[in-house]
Amino acid sequence: RTDFYIFDGISYEIDITQEPRYNSEGKIINYAAHRIKNLKYNKKSISDTQEIIIVMDSFFFPEILKI
């Protein structure tokens, strides 16, 4: 199974010169690490305090229902 999701209007860069935040199992190893840079929505910069709502269904993310 291959998971591939599209979020229309979202763009960003990944700076691989920065330390990773997560290990290969998806567990946080460095809370201070931030590789995502230049996050934008519809070509406009997103501030650190701006909220974005992303809607998804439980078909693709059934583990969310366990929260």
Side-chain angles (χ1 to χ4, degrees):
R1 175 180 148 181
T2 302
D3 295 328
F4 184 81
Y5 306 100
I6 297 172
F7 298 102
D8 191 40
I10 301 285
S11 63
Y12 57 90
E13 297 171 8
I14 300 173
D15 183 354
I16 61 170
T17 65
Q18 300 298 312
E19 293 294 319
R21 185 177 181 112
Y22 301 93
N23 66 14
S24 60
E25 287 86 39
K27 300 201 185 313
I28 293 179
I29 57 173
N30 185 349
Y31 285 97
H34 298 284
R35 284 185 163 184
I36 302 299
K37 308 291 182 193
N38 299 318
L39 180 61
K40 296 182 180 187
Y41 177 65
N42 289 335
K43 299 182 182 179
K44 294 180 183 174
S45 294
I46 296 173
S47 73
D48 289 341
T49 59
Q50 189 172 351
E51 293 184 13
I52 296 176
I53 297 171
I54 298 176
V55 179
M56 61 188 79
D57 63 30
S58 61
F59 177 78
F60 291 107
F61 297 99
E63 62 274 9
I64 290 174
L65 297 176
K66 298 175 186 174
I67 295 176

